[in-house]
Amino acid sequence: PVRTGPQLSRLCANIASRFGLDSKSVWVPLGASMDHIPFAAHGYEAVTLSTAGWDIPFRSIHTKHDTPDALDISSLEHCYAVCRELADAVGLYGTAD
């Protein structure tokens, strides 16, 4: 199985750059509750996109503190834009009409 997503990571970085967003790739230890791990474990190239650093909101993911109040709408919009471009780049969606 492919346990990392080098191609997807490069695509994400390029897309983020086009949107004027800072990005960086980080290695997260297994067991860190990253959402892409089950996909990678089954052989799919996968990445997790996060708009947070290693601060309190990031550490609250998948805990009782993971509530709508912790969300930042602007960050969600950025994440959606990068995900949509990424899906287009790898052919998951057709072109928009």
Side-chain angles (χ1 to χ4, degrees):
V2 176
R3 301 223 184 260
T4 61
Q7 179 184 2
L8 294 181
S9 293
R10 284 190 299 275
L11 282 169
C12 287
N14 290 339
I15 292 166
S17 177
R18 282 202 330 268
F19 284 124
L21 303 170
D22 291 329
S23 68
K24 64 180 176 178
S25 293
V26 296
W27 294 101
V28 179
L30 286 176
S33 297
M34 299 307 292
D35 295 329
H36 75 277
I37 297 297
F39 299 100
H42 284 88
Y44 295 96
E45 187 174 351
V47 295
T48 292
L49 297 180
S50 174
T51 59
W54 292 104
D55 52 7
I56 291 171
F58 181 79
R59 292 191 309 265
S60 71
I61 295 172
H62 302 308
T63 72
K64 66 181 180 177
H65 302 291
D66 193 1
T67 65
D69 293 336
L71 297 175
D72 176 76
I73 296 301
S74 176
S75 294
L76 287 175
E77 289 171 346
H78 290 152
C79 190
Y80 168 79
V82 171
C83 287
R84 177 58 199 233
E85 290 277 330
L86 182 62
D88 286 341
V90 297
L92 295 179
Y93 294 116
T95 57
D97 293 332

